[in-house]
Amino acid sequence: MDVILNKIEARLRESGILMEQFEKIYPKITEYFMPLSITGVSARTYLHWKSKGLIPDSQTNEGQREWVRLNLIDYVWIKIIQVMRDFGMPLETIKQTKELLFENILAVLVPDKEDYLNFLRTESDVDPEKIQSISELIDLASDAMENNPEEFDVHTTIIGSMISDLLIKNDRGSVIITKSGKEFDVSFFSYKTLDDFKNIVLPLLESPHIQIPIRKLIEDFFDDPKSDKFVDSFELLNFKEKKVIDAIRKKDFKQIIIKQDQAEESIIIELERDGDILDQKAKDVKRLLGLNEYSEVTIKYRNDKHIYFKNTTRL
């Protein structure tokens, strides 16, 4: 089993994912510890959605009969439901979206491996070497599931992968809803794989559609004051990133410069007397660092010590 997992780790590393990052983050985003109230959805509305089959089975276990507890994946899904209801989407379309996003990726890919690989060869721009690597990764995952399923996460879903890729690889993903006649069609795409699947995604984007960006939902979660005590539980910041937050809170700096990933101006924070402003800056910076929206950071401390580091932990 260790040999198989080592091979899987090597394949994931080739695609820009370190196994230790995945093992650290995925359990955190699947842990149930947040109350329903954090979503702004009432218990009555939640139970109605549940009765209509909009809530996945993972949220209906024995331990949640009296008090609903959510993980980050559940939170994002409930916010997606809210958006779809705001746009007047019928319940059946929302249920269709749930079935797509909560589908077990491996349960689909393993038995339909050849069909999927043929799809990549004929319908996408994924290069042959990467397709071969995907083929080998599916085989390794299949062996791991067959030999020791209890040690292998067979419940990895599309929405879970989108969220973990967002946090690990600084990716962005969206759910797209188009309409064909009287029927709604639900799809999804990732920004980092857009070039490989542009022949499929671009026609969707060029048609009238509703797009729900997953990253924006998580950014709103970070910005919500009610989420402060839960954000730290995800342990998204590494040691150097935590030093930035500590410096702001302790006012132990002259200047902090954060260069963002996007083509935007650098964020410059200079020591201010107003503690409330600094507290708000700490929240903004925590979101920026936690979601990997930066490329490098410079801290100029009050004792003239400097710390500089780049964002090399995730792609």
Side-chain angles (χ1 to χ4, degrees):
M1 184 65 181
D2 289 342
V3 173
I4 294 175
L5 290 178
N6 288 338
K7 289 181 178 179
I8 291 175
E9 180 174 1
R11 292 298 177 188
L12 290 175
R13 187 180 295 110
E14 290 174 5
S15 64
I17 299 177
L18 295 180
M19 183 64 92
E20 57 265 28
Q21 293 173 343
F22 184 83
E23 289 178 340
K24 174 186 176 183
I25 288 179
Y26 200 79
K28 294 294 182 183
I29 67 175
T30 57
E31 183 179 344
Y32 298 94
F33 63 89
M34 295 188 294
L36 176 63
S37 59
I38 200 171
T39 66
V41 172
S42 68
R44 182 178 180 180
T45 299
Y46 176 86
L47 291 175
H48 173 67
W49 289 347
K50 181 178 175 180
S51 70
K52 297 298 182 180
L54 307 186
I55 304 300
D57 292 339
S58 61
Q59 293 185 33
T60 59
N61 60 41
E62 292 294 323
Q64 294 174 352
R65 286 183 174 176
E66 295 183 5
W67 299 102
V68 177
R69 285 293 179 266
L70 308 175
N71 58 36
L72 185 60
I73 296 173
D74 299 330
Y75 171 89
V76 171
W77 169 239
I78 288 176
K79 302 306 284 188
I80 290 175
I81 297 178
Q82 284 183 305
V83 173
M84 295 182 75
R85 292 301 288 162
D86 287 344
F87 278 91
M89 293 289 102
L91 296 179
E92 188 57 37
T93 301
I94 299 176
K95 187 175 180 180
Q96 177 187 346
T97 306
K98 181 208 74 173
E99 292 170 352
L100 171 68
L101 295 183
F102 283 88
E103 197 164 29
N104 184 323
I105 296 175
L106 295 178
V108 174
L109 290 183
V110 170
D112 296 333
K113 171 190 166 185
E114 292 306 320
D115 288 342
Y116 179 64
L117 295 179
N118 186 57
F119 162 77
L120 294 178
R121 297 186 189 102
T122 59
E123 303 294 334
S124 77
D125 292 323
V126 179
D127 64 72
E129 288 186 5
K130 189 172 182 180
I131 292 176
Q132 180 59 32
S133 180
I134 291 172
S135 175
E136 294 172 5
L137 182 58
I138 293 174
D139 288 339
L140 291 169
S142 176
D143 290 340
M145 291 170 60
E146 182 177 349
N147 294 334
N148 208 340
E150 67 274 9
E151 292 189 18
F152 198 84
D153 185 10
V154 295
H155 302 295
T156 302
T157 59
I158 290 172
I159 188 172
S161 295
M162 292 174 73
I163 293 172
S164 58
D165 280 357
L166 183 156
L167 298 173
I168 296 173
K169 299 167 64 178
N170 192 21
D171 201 358
R172 295 171 181 265
S174 290
V175 176
I176 304 176
I177 304 165
T178 55
K179 195 172 184 181
S180 177
K182 294 183 178 180
E183 299 296 324
F184 290 97
D185 295 318
V186 182
S187 307
F188 68 93
F189 75 98
S190 160
Y191 282 56
K192 284 189 178 292
T193 60
L194 182 56
D195 285 343
D196 290 337
F197 297 97
K198 59 180 178 291
N199 294 334
I200 300 168
V201 177
L202 291 183
L204 296 175
L205 297 179
E206 291 169 354
S207 303
H209 67 278
I210 295 174
Q211 184 178 162
I212 305 175
I214 303 300
R215 190 181 196 93
K216 182 63 170 63
L217 300 179
I218 297 180
E219 287 178 351
D220 290 345
F221 172 78
F222 269 72
D223 289 339
D224 189 342
K226 298 192 302 291
S227 303
D228 283 349
K229 61 182 178 181
F230 303 113
V231 169
D232 289 341
S233 300
F234 295 118
E235 300 179 2
L236 297 176
L237 303 184
N238 61 35
F239 178 73
K240 290 181 178 179
E241 291 166 344
K242 289 179 180 178
K243 279 185 171 291
V244 180
I245 304 300
D246 288 342
I248 293 175
R249 287 175 173 168
K250 296 177 181 178
K251 304 180 185 179
D252 187 25
F253 69 96
K254 293 180 179 177
Q255 188 181 65
I256 295 175
I257 303 173
I258 302 176
K259 185 175 180 180
Q260 293 185 265
D261 284 335
Q262 310 298 324
E264 301 177 13
E265 294 183 5
S266 298
I267 294 178
I268 300 176
I269 307 172
E270 294 184 324
L271 184 60
E272 304 173 56
R273 291 183 178 180
D274 191 332
D276 291 337
I277 294 177
L278 288 179
D279 289 342
Q280 182 57 48
K281 288 291 186 182
K283 292 179 181 179
D284 295 342
V285 170
K286 181 185 289 187
R287 173 174 55 81
L288 193 73
L289 300 179
L291 297 180
N292 295 302
E293 296 177 335
Y294 76 99
S295 57
E296 53 191 75
V297 175
T298 300
I299 308 177
K300 299 179 180 179
Y301 284 97
R302 300 179 76 172
N303 60 4
D304 292 328
K305 179 181 177 182
H306 284 51
I307 289 182
Y308 168 82
F309 63 90
K310 289 187 176 183
N311 183 11
T312 59
T313 58
R314 310 174 196 110
L315 301 182

